[in-house]
Amino acid sequence: MLGANIERWLAVGKVVLRVIVPVSAPDVQEALRQAGFFVTTVNASGRDGEVRVMFSVIARKKLRAALRVVEGTYPRAFITVEEVTTAQLQEVATREDRLSRRFRMIRK
């Protein structure tokens, strides 16, 4: 429990903030952008009609500020937050890559 509390206090890492609002709602994405957050928006269909789904990857330390912006713009927004783990595909070597590097080293 001590480790979990320390991690929460340090707020290390990043989170994905997902905000879902009706298309007719005030412009939450613009409010987030003006506050300095990067936002990707996707139009979608929800149970009650057309919605906008906004994604923003932010530092966990800035989460409260982002939530204040969203709640100040549209308090009825549906908000979820998830921890981020990244997949760095550029650094993953395939078996063939490793074998070809070995053979190049042997030939030289």
Side-chain angles (χ1 to χ4, degrees), residues 12-41:
V12 177
K14 296 187 182 228
V15 294
V16 173
L17 176 68
R18 185 179 305 116
V19 181
I20 303 172
V21 298
V23 171
S24 61
D27 202 0
V28 176
Q29 67 184 358
E30 192 57 37
L32 283 168
R33 288 184 178 135
Q34 287 179 356
F37 298 102
F38 297 106
V39 181
T40 300
T41 304

Short mmCIF file of all heavy atoms in Angstrom, two decimals, residues 12-41:
data_model
loop_
_atom_site.label_atom_id
_atom_site.label_comp_id
_atom_site.label_asym_id
_atom_site.label_seq_id
_atom_site.Cartn_x
_atom_site.Cartn_y
_atom_site.Cartn_z
N VAL A 12 3.98 9.53 -11.79
CA VAL A 12 4.91 9.27 -12.88
C VAL A 12 4.17 8.56 -14.00
O VAL A 12 3.30 7.72 -13.76
CB VAL A 12 6.08 8.40 -12.38
CG1 VAL A 12 7.03 8.06 -13.51
CG2 VAL A 12 6.81 9.09 -11.25
N GLY A 13 4.52 8.88 -15.24
CA GLY A 13 3.94 8.18 -16.38
C GLY A 13 2.91 9.01 -17.11
O GLY A 13 2.71 10.19 -16.85
N LYS A 14 2.26 8.35 -18.05
CA LYS A 14 1.26 9.00 -18.89
C LYS A 14 -0.05 8.24 -18.82
O LYS A 14 -0.07 7.06 -18.51
CB LYS A 14 1.74 9.07 -20.33
CG LYS A 14 2.97 9.93 -20.48
CD LYS A 14 3.33 10.12 -21.92
CE LYS A 14 4.59 10.93 -21.98
NZ LYS A 14 4.54 12.02 -22.88
N VAL A 15 -1.12 8.95 -19.15
CA VAL A 15 -2.45 8.35 -19.19
C VAL A 15 -3.13 8.76 -20.49
O VAL A 15 -2.76 9.75 -21.11
CB VAL A 15 -3.32 8.77 -17.99
CG1 VAL A 15 -2.77 8.24 -16.69
CG2 VAL A 15 -3.49 10.28 -17.93
N VAL A 16 -4.11 7.96 -20.89
CA VAL A 16 -4.96 8.32 -22.02
C VAL A 16 -6.27 8.82 -21.44
O VAL A 16 -6.94 8.12 -20.69
CB VAL A 16 -5.24 7.10 -22.93
CG1 VAL A 16 -6.27 7.47 -24.00
CG2 VAL A 16 -3.98 6.61 -23.56
N LEU A 17 -6.59 10.05 -21.78
CA LEU A 17 -7.86 10.65 -21.38
C LEU A 17 -8.81 10.47 -22.56
O LEU A 17 -8.51 10.89 -23.68
CB LEU A 17 -7.66 12.13 -21.07
CG LEU A 17 -8.92 12.92 -20.72
CD1 LEU A 17 -9.47 12.45 -19.37
CD2 LEU A 17 -8.60 14.40 -20.67
N ARG A 18 -9.94 9.82 -22.34
CA ARG A 18 -10.94 9.61 -23.39
C ARG A 18 -12.20 10.35 -22.97
O ARG A 18 -12.72 10.13 -21.88
CB ARG A 18 -11.25 8.12 -23.55
CG ARG A 18 -12.18 7.82 -24.70
CD ARG A 18 -12.47 6.34 -24.87
NE ARG A 18 -11.28 5.55 -24.98
CZ ARG A 18 -10.89 4.62 -24.08
NH1 ARG A 18 -11.59 4.40 -22.99
NH2 ARG A 18 -9.80 3.91 -24.27
N VAL A 19 -12.66 11.25 -23.82
CA VAL A 19 -13.83 12.07 -23.54
C VAL A 19 -14.85 11.84 -24.64
O VAL A 19 -14.52 11.94 -25.82
CB VAL A 19 -13.45 13.57 -23.48
CG1 VAL A 19 -14.67 14.40 -23.15
CG2 VAL A 19 -12.33 13.81 -22.47
N ILE A 20 -16.08 11.54 -24.25
CA ILE A 20 -17.16 11.32 -25.21
C ILE A 20 -18.26 12.34 -24.94
O ILE A 20 -18.78 12.42 -23.82
CB ILE A 20 -17.72 9.89 -25.13
CG1 ILE A 20 -16.59 8.88 -25.35
CG2 ILE A 20 -18.84 9.68 -26.14
CD1 ILE A 20 -16.97 7.45 -25.10
N VAL A 21 -18.58 13.12 -25.98
CA VAL A 21 -19.62 14.15 -25.86
C VAL A 21 -20.50 14.10 -27.10
O VAL A 21 -20.06 13.68 -28.16
CB VAL A 21 -19.01 15.56 -25.71
CG1 VAL A 21 -18.18 15.67 -24.45
CG2 VAL A 21 -18.19 15.95 -26.92
N PRO A 22 -21.75 14.56 -26.98
CA PRO A 22 -22.59 14.66 -28.18
C PRO A 22 -22.02 15.69 -29.14
O PRO A 22 -21.31 16.61 -28.73
CB PRO A 22 -23.95 15.13 -27.63
CG PRO A 22 -23.90 14.93 -26.16
CD PRO A 22 -22.47 14.92 -25.77
N VAL A 23 -22.33 15.55 -30.42
CA VAL A 23 -21.85 16.50 -31.43
C VAL A 23 -22.35 17.91 -31.12
O VAL A 23 -21.65 18.89 -31.37
CB VAL A 23 -22.29 16.03 -32.84
CG1 VAL A 23 -22.00 17.09 -33.88
CG2 VAL A 23 -21.60 14.74 -33.20
N SER A 24 -23.53 18.02 -30.54
CA SER A 24 -24.11 19.33 -30.24
C SER A 24 -23.53 19.98 -28.99
O SER A 24 -23.86 21.12 -28.68
CB SER A 24 -25.63 19.18 -30.09
OG SER A 24 -25.91 18.30 -29.00
N ALA A 25 -22.64 19.31 -28.27
CA ALA A 25 -22.06 19.85 -27.04
C ALA A 25 -21.08 20.98 -27.36
O ALA A 25 -20.60 21.09 -28.48
CB ALA A 25 -21.33 18.73 -26.29
N PRO A 26 -20.78 21.81 -26.37
CA PRO A 26 -19.76 22.85 -26.58
C PRO A 26 -18.43 22.21 -27.02
O PRO A 26 -18.19 21.02 -26.79
CB PRO A 26 -19.62 23.50 -25.21
CG PRO A 26 -20.90 23.20 -24.51
CD PRO A 26 -21.36 21.88 -25.05
N ASP A 27 -17.58 23.00 -27.63
CA ASP A 27 -16.35 22.49 -28.24
C ASP A 27 -15.29 22.15 -27.19
O ASP A 27 -14.41 22.95 -26.88
CB ASP A 27 -15.81 23.52 -29.24
CG ASP A 27 -14.90 22.89 -30.26
OD1 ASP A 27 -14.67 21.67 -30.19
OD2 ASP A 27 -14.41 23.61 -31.14
N VAL A 28 -15.35 20.94 -26.65
CA VAL A 28 -14.42 20.48 -25.62
C VAL A 28 -13.01 20.33 -26.20
O VAL A 28 -12.03 20.68 -25.54
CB VAL A 28 -14.90 19.13 -25.01
CG1 VAL A 28 -13.89 18.59 -24.03
CG2 VAL A 28 -16.25 19.31 -24.36
N GLN A 29 -12.92 19.84 -27.43
CA GLN A 29 -11.59 19.64 -28.02
C GLN A 29 -10.84 20.95 -28.15
O GLN A 29 -9.64 21.02 -27.88
CB GLN A 29 -11.69 18.94 -29.36
CG GLN A 29 -12.35 19.74 -30.45
CD GLN A 29 -12.50 18.97 -31.73
OE1 GLN A 29 -12.08 17.83 -31.82
NE2 GLN A 29 -13.11 19.58 -32.71
N GLU A 30 -11.52 22.01 -28.52
CA GLU A 30 -10.85 23.31 -28.66
C GLU A 30 -10.44 23.85 -27.29
O GLU A 30 -9.37 24.44 -27.16
CB GLU A 30 -11.77 24.29 -29.39
CG GLU A 30 -11.06 25.56 -29.81
CD GLU A 30 -9.86 25.30 -30.70
OE1 GLU A 30 -9.91 24.39 -31.54
OE2 GLU A 30 -8.86 26.03 -30.55
N ALA A 31 -11.26 23.63 -26.28
CA ALA A 31 -10.90 24.07 -24.93
C ALA A 31 -9.65 23.33 -24.43
O ALA A 31 -8.77 23.95 -23.82
CB ALA A 31 -12.07 23.83 -23.97
N LEU A 32 -9.57 22.03 -24.71
CA LEU A 32 -8.38 21.27 -24.32
C LEU A 32 -7.15 21.76 -25.07
O LEU A 32 -6.07 21.90 -24.49
CB LEU A 32 -8.60 19.77 -24.57
CG LEU A 32 -9.47 19.04 -23.56
CD1 LEU A 32 -9.85 17.66 -24.07
CD2 LEU A 32 -8.74 18.93 -22.23
N ARG A 33 -7.30 22.03 -26.35
CA ARG A 33 -6.16 22.51 -27.14
C ARG A 33 -5.69 23.88 -26.65
O ARG A 33 -4.49 24.14 -26.58
CB ARG A 33 -6.54 22.56 -28.62
CG ARG A 33 -6.63 21.19 -29.23
CD ARG A 33 -6.92 21.22 -30.71
NE ARG A 33 -6.95 19.86 -31.22
CZ ARG A 33 -7.88 19.41 -32.04
NH1 ARG A 33 -8.83 20.21 -32.48
NH2 ARG A 33 -7.85 18.15 -32.44
N GLN A 34 -6.62 24.76 -26.32
CA GLN A 34 -6.25 26.07 -25.81
C GLN A 34 -5.54 25.96 -24.46
O GLN A 34 -4.73 26.82 -24.12
CB GLN A 34 -7.47 26.97 -25.70
CG GLN A 34 -7.98 27.44 -27.04
CD GLN A 34 -9.21 28.31 -26.92
OE1 GLN A 34 -9.74 28.52 -25.84
NE2 GLN A 34 -9.68 28.83 -28.05
N ALA A 35 -5.83 24.90 -23.70
CA ALA A 35 -5.17 24.67 -22.42
C ALA A 35 -3.81 24.00 -22.59
O ALA A 35 -3.12 23.74 -21.61
CB ALA A 35 -6.07 23.84 -21.51
N GLY A 36 -3.43 23.68 -23.85
CA GLY A 36 -2.12 23.12 -24.10
C GLY A 36 -2.06 21.61 -24.27
O GLY A 36 -0.98 21.04 -24.31
N PHE A 37 -3.20 20.96 -24.39
CA PHE A 37 -3.24 19.51 -24.56
C PHE A 37 -3.43 19.16 -26.03
O PHE A 37 -4.13 19.86 -26.76
CB PHE A 37 -4.38 18.89 -23.74
CG PHE A 37 -4.24 19.12 -22.27
CD1 PHE A 37 -4.97 20.10 -21.63
CD2 PHE A 37 -3.35 18.37 -21.52
CE1 PHE A 37 -4.84 20.32 -20.27
CE2 PHE A 37 -3.20 18.58 -20.16
CZ PHE A 37 -3.95 19.56 -19.53
N PHE A 38 -2.80 18.07 -26.47
CA PHE A 38 -3.00 17.57 -27.83
C PHE A 38 -4.21 16.65 -27.81
O PHE A 38 -4.36 15.83 -26.91
CB PHE A 38 -1.77 16.80 -28.31
CG PHE A 38 -0.54 17.66 -28.39
CD1 PHE A 38 0.46 17.54 -27.45
CD2 PHE A 38 -0.40 18.57 -29.42
CE1 PHE A 38 1.59 18.33 -27.53
CE2 PHE A 38 0.72 19.37 -29.50
CZ PHE A 38 1.72 19.25 -28.55
N VAL A 39 -5.06 16.77 -28.82
CA VAL A 39 -6.31 16.02 -28.85
C VAL A 39 -6.53 15.44 -30.23
O VAL A 39 -6.34 16.11 -31.24
CB VAL A 39 -7.52 16.92 -28.49
CG1 VAL A 39 -8.81 16.13 -28.50
CG2 VAL A 39 -7.32 17.59 -27.15
N THR A 40 -6.94 14.17 -30.27
CA THR A 40 -7.37 13.53 -31.51
C THR A 40 -8.86 13.24 -31.36
O THR A 40 -9.29 12.68 -30.36
CB THR A 40 -6.61 12.21 -31.75
OG1 THR A 40 -5.22 12.50 -31.83
CG2 THR A 40 -7.09 11.52 -33.01
N THR A 41 -9.63 13.64 -32.37
CA THR A 41 -11.09 13.50 -32.30
C THR A 41 -11.59 12.58 -33.40
O THR A 41 -11.14 12.65 -34.54
CB THR A 41 -11.75 14.89 -32.46
OG1 THR A 41 -11.24 15.75 -31.47
CG2 THR A 41 -13.26 14.79 -32.31
#
